[in-house]
Amino acid sequence: MSDSIHLTDNRTGKSYDLPVTHGTIRAMDLRQIKTGPEDFGLMTYDPAFMNTASCMSSITYIDGDRGILRYRGYPIEELAAKCTFLDVAWLLLNGELPNSEESVEWAHKIRYHTMIHENLKKFMEGFRHDAHPMGMLMSTVAALSTFYPESRDVKNKQSRKMQIMRLIGKMPTIAAYAYRHNLGLPYVYPDNTLGYTSNFLSMLWKMTEPKYDANPVLAKALDILFILHADHEQNCSTNTMRAVGSSQADPYLSLAAASAALAGPLHGGANEEVLLMLDEIGSLSNVHAFVDKVKAGQCKLMGFGHRVYKNYDPRAKIIKQTAEEVFKVTGANPKLEIAIELEQIALRDEYFIKRKLYPNVDFYSGIIYQAMGFHPAMFTVLFAIPRTVGWLTQWQELVDDGEQKIARPRQIYTGHDERHVGQPVEEHAVSVAR
Ligand code: ACO
């Protein structure tokens, strides 16, 4: 049996054999299917990319029906249990886990790219005191582009490596500055004697003490959360990173666009929405009534559902375990009770079962972040820091992929046929003004 599909066009009676590889036909192979020489050729219509692969990728594997997530072949559960976030970043970017020498050198290099230019700090000071930190983050990342004009040379491998290290190093610094700005606190400079997450916690929470000692349980929990959020193949923000990157825009601009996509409530912004939803529910006694509202289509159960996972999101499972460790230090978040009750009811309810709606990564992450002391507006920023690694890995793959070109979908035009302006526009404007 050959790996092809046989199609007959009933409009013309002609038949075609199209090759099938990886369970996929190439959309361009359809273009030969025409009703006549004037016909453009057959296209596919796929709003929201429900059934379209936009790239070949060897980075992240998801089996949504079985709840499997792997980076470069390694199960997420093993990476979360045995690796540090920076080692996982290396794995994603380079395809293999680092050996101990590579691991030390990599951590050292990232550490030495944590500082940001003083002008960038001043730029951030220009935001209103109550500016949303996600807006500050994405604008500041875009502004970074003006500091590193050499980054426009996206074909230059050495330059690419440098921009990747800069972005991974500077994201926590920018995020922490945004956080301190909201609170009216002075900025804290990076401390290069600390690890990636301990340094981030120091930049967030250091007050007058000469050195900030992050609680190791919280620093470890954050490291695990960062591993879980590092990549998730062709999601909305990664697709944005690739789409903008395909125009050969520099990585700072592409990454700013990707963070804009992440900010939306249906994507990374959902973690903030979950907390707002739990606030709205308020107490256990209101959970049933809220679920009824969801079933009546009046609102969504935020943190539930996923385009790809039609089973429990494996990241949500690990987050639940991590939450227990965090709560031993911080005390339980009273919202947890409501979240667990909501999950229990939803998982037993026909509405959610039929639609295969399970908790996703965002359902519990906000509860941990809040217990750690973050306000909800910071949650998506905490997602963007580790996802920077995924965005950059996918961008690097895109730039090296000879098959990729500028991303430019087709459309089906449904507007007017040619028509003509009756009265000259200027004359019309004057007569309206009179
Ligand atoms: N609450 C209630 N109903 C839902 C939910 C939800 N959270 N999610 C989906 N549904 C329903 C839809 O109304 C639809 O029902 P219908 O068939 O009766 O019309 C059905 O389930 C299928 O949903 P779609 O919207 O078609 O699924 P899609 O794959 O387009 O959307 C998405 C996925 C955006 C994640 C959606 O589930 C959602 O909005 N969830 C809430 C927001 C959220 O948690 N986002 C974070 C996702 S994870 C991440 O991005 C990091």
Side-chain angles (χ1 to χ4, degrees), residues 122-145:
K122 290 202 186 101
F123 172 89
M124 293 187 79
E125 278 165 12
F127 284 98
R128 269 178 62 122
H129 68 282
D130 58 354
H132 195 289
M134 200 55 195
M136 289 179 74
L137 181 92
M138 77 183 85
S139 322
T140 309
V141 171
L144 268 182
S145 155

Short mmCIF file of all heavy atoms in Angstrom, two decimals, residues 122-145:
data_model
loop_
_atom_site.label_atom_id
_atom_site.label_comp_id
_atom_site.label_asym_id
_atom_site.label_seq_id
_atom_site.Cartn_x
_atom_site.Cartn_y
_atom_site.Cartn_z
N LYS A 122 15.19 53.76 33.14
CA LYS A 122 14.50 55.07 33.09
C LYS A 122 13.25 54.96 32.23
O LYS A 122 12.21 55.54 32.54
CB LYS A 122 15.44 56.14 32.51
CG LYS A 122 16.56 56.49 33.44
CD LYS A 122 17.12 57.88 33.08
CE LYS A 122 18.34 58.17 33.93
NZ LYS A 122 19.61 57.96 33.19
N PHE A 123 13.38 54.21 31.13
CA PHE A 123 12.23 53.99 30.24
C PHE A 123 11.08 53.38 31.05
O PHE A 123 9.94 53.81 30.96
CB PHE A 123 12.69 53.03 29.12
CG PHE A 123 11.63 52.52 28.20
CD1 PHE A 123 11.29 53.23 27.06
CD2 PHE A 123 10.98 51.31 28.45
CE1 PHE A 123 10.32 52.74 26.18
CE2 PHE A 123 10.01 50.83 27.58
CZ PHE A 123 9.68 51.55 26.44
N MET A 124 11.40 52.42 31.89
CA MET A 124 10.36 51.75 32.69
C MET A 124 9.76 52.71 33.73
O MET A 124 8.58 52.61 34.06
CB MET A 124 10.91 50.49 33.36
CG MET A 124 11.26 49.41 32.35
SD MET A 124 11.73 47.84 33.11
CE MET A 124 10.14 47.16 33.54
N GLU A 125 10.59 53.62 34.22
CA GLU A 125 10.09 54.59 35.21
C GLU A 125 8.98 55.46 34.61
O GLU A 125 8.17 56.04 35.33
CB GLU A 125 11.23 55.50 35.69
CG GLU A 125 12.04 54.85 36.78
CD GLU A 125 13.38 55.56 37.01
OE1 GLU A 125 13.58 56.68 36.48
OE2 GLU A 125 14.22 54.97 37.70
N GLY A 126 8.96 55.57 33.27
CA GLY A 126 7.98 56.40 32.60
C GLY A 126 6.56 55.85 32.63
O GLY A 126 5.62 56.56 32.32
N PHE A 127 6.41 54.58 32.99
CA PHE A 127 5.06 54.01 33.03
C PHE A 127 4.28 54.57 34.22
O PHE A 127 4.86 54.92 35.25
CB PHE A 127 5.12 52.48 33.15
CG PHE A 127 5.47 51.81 31.85
CD1 PHE A 127 6.78 51.40 31.59
CD2 PHE A 127 4.50 51.58 30.88
CE1 PHE A 127 7.11 50.79 30.40
CE2 PHE A 127 4.83 50.96 29.69
CZ PHE A 127 6.13 50.57 29.44
N ARG A 128 2.95 54.61 34.10
CA ARG A 128 2.12 55.00 35.23
C ARG A 128 2.35 54.05 36.39
O ARG A 128 2.70 52.89 36.17
CB ARG A 128 0.64 54.92 34.83
CG ARG A 128 0.08 56.20 34.25
CD ARG A 128 -1.36 55.95 33.86
NE ARG A 128 -2.15 55.60 35.04
CZ ARG A 128 -3.23 56.28 35.43
NH1 ARG A 128 -3.64 57.32 34.75
NH2 ARG A 128 -3.91 55.90 36.49
N HIS A 129 2.09 54.51 37.62
CA HIS A 129 2.37 53.67 38.77
C HIS A 129 1.56 52.36 38.74
O HIS A 129 1.98 51.35 39.25
CB HIS A 129 2.07 54.43 40.07
CG HIS A 129 0.60 54.70 40.24
ND1 HIS A 129 -0.05 55.72 39.56
CD2 HIS A 129 -0.34 54.07 40.99
CE1 HIS A 129 -1.34 55.71 39.89
NE2 HIS A 129 -1.53 54.72 40.76
N ASP A 130 0.37 52.42 38.11
CA ASP A 130 -0.50 51.23 38.12
C ASP A 130 -0.52 50.53 36.76
O ASP A 130 -1.46 49.79 36.44
CB ASP A 130 -1.93 51.62 38.53
CG ASP A 130 -2.53 52.69 37.61
OD1 ASP A 130 -1.79 53.21 36.74
OD2 ASP A 130 -3.72 53.00 37.77
N ALA A 131 0.52 50.75 35.95
CA ALA A 131 0.58 50.09 34.63
C ALA A 131 0.58 48.58 34.82
O ALA A 131 1.23 48.06 35.73
CB ALA A 131 1.85 50.52 33.90
N HIS A 132 -0.15 47.87 33.93
CA HIS A 132 -0.15 46.41 34.04
C HIS A 132 1.27 45.90 33.75
O HIS A 132 1.87 46.28 32.75
CB HIS A 132 -1.15 45.81 33.05
CG HIS A 132 -1.47 44.38 33.35
ND1 HIS A 132 -0.57 43.37 33.16
CD2 HIS A 132 -2.58 43.80 33.88
CE1 HIS A 132 -1.11 42.21 33.53
NE2 HIS A 132 -2.34 42.44 33.98
N PRO A 133 1.80 45.03 34.63
CA PRO A 133 3.20 44.60 34.42
C PRO A 133 3.43 43.85 33.11
O PRO A 133 4.53 43.88 32.57
CB PRO A 133 3.48 43.69 35.63
CG PRO A 133 2.16 43.40 36.25
CD PRO A 133 1.23 44.49 35.86
N MET A 134 2.38 43.25 32.58
CA MET A 134 2.56 42.54 31.29
C MET A 134 2.75 43.57 30.16
O MET A 134 3.56 43.35 29.26
CB MET A 134 1.32 41.66 31.06
CG MET A 134 1.51 40.54 30.09
SD MET A 134 2.87 39.44 30.49
CE MET A 134 3.01 38.61 28.92
N GLY A 135 2.03 44.68 30.25
CA GLY A 135 2.22 45.76 29.27
C GLY A 135 3.61 46.33 29.38
O GLY A 135 4.28 46.62 28.37
N MET A 136 4.09 46.48 30.61
CA MET A 136 5.45 47.01 30.81
C MET A 136 6.48 46.04 30.25
O MET A 136 7.44 46.44 29.61
CB MET A 136 5.71 47.21 32.32
CG MET A 136 4.95 48.37 32.92
SD MET A 136 5.28 48.55 34.69
CE MET A 136 6.92 49.22 34.68
N LEU A 137 6.26 44.75 30.52
CA LEU A 137 7.23 43.74 30.07
C LEU A 137 7.34 43.74 28.55
O LEU A 137 8.43 43.83 27.99
CB LEU A 137 6.81 42.35 30.57
CG LEU A 137 7.76 41.23 30.19
CD1 LEU A 137 8.81 41.02 31.27
CD2 LEU A 137 7.01 39.91 29.99
N MET A 138 6.18 43.69 27.88
CA MET A 138 6.27 43.55 26.42
C MET A 138 6.82 44.81 25.76
O MET A 138 7.60 44.72 24.83
CB MET A 138 4.94 43.08 25.82
CG MET A 138 3.87 44.10 25.69
SD MET A 138 2.36 43.36 25.06
CE MET A 138 1.60 42.75 26.53
N SER A 139 6.48 45.99 26.30
CA SER A 139 7.01 47.22 25.70
C SER A 139 8.51 47.32 25.95
O SER A 139 9.26 47.79 25.09
CB SER A 139 6.36 48.47 26.29
OG SER A 139 5.01 48.25 26.54
N THR A 140 8.93 46.90 27.14
CA THR A 140 10.36 47.01 27.47
C THR A 140 11.18 46.02 26.64
O THR A 140 12.29 46.34 26.20
CB THR A 140 10.57 46.79 28.98
OG1 THR A 140 9.68 47.64 29.68
CG2 THR A 140 11.99 47.09 29.40
N VAL A 141 10.62 44.84 26.38
CA VAL A 141 11.33 43.88 25.53
C VAL A 141 11.47 44.46 24.12
O VAL A 141 12.53 44.37 23.50
CB VAL A 141 10.61 42.51 25.51
CG1 VAL A 141 11.22 41.60 24.46
CG2 VAL A 141 10.69 41.84 26.88
N ALA A 142 10.40 45.10 23.63
CA ALA A 142 10.48 45.72 22.30
C ALA A 142 11.55 46.81 22.31
O ALA A 142 12.34 46.94 21.37
CB ALA A 142 9.13 46.30 21.90
N ALA A 143 11.61 47.58 23.41
CA ALA A 143 12.60 48.66 23.50
C ALA A 143 14.03 48.10 23.51
O ALA A 143 14.96 48.77 23.03
CB ALA A 143 12.34 49.49 24.75
N LEU A 144 14.21 46.89 24.02
CA LEU A 144 15.55 46.29 24.04
C LEU A 144 16.14 46.22 22.63
O LEU A 144 17.35 46.28 22.45
CB LEU A 144 15.47 44.85 24.58
CG LEU A 144 15.68 44.61 26.08
CD1 LEU A 144 15.61 43.11 26.35
CD2 LEU A 144 17.01 45.16 26.57
N SER A 145 15.26 46.06 21.66
CA SER A 145 15.69 45.97 20.26
C SER A 145 16.55 47.18 19.88
O SER A 145 17.51 47.06 19.12
CB SER A 145 14.44 45.90 19.39
OG SER A 145 14.69 46.37 18.11
#
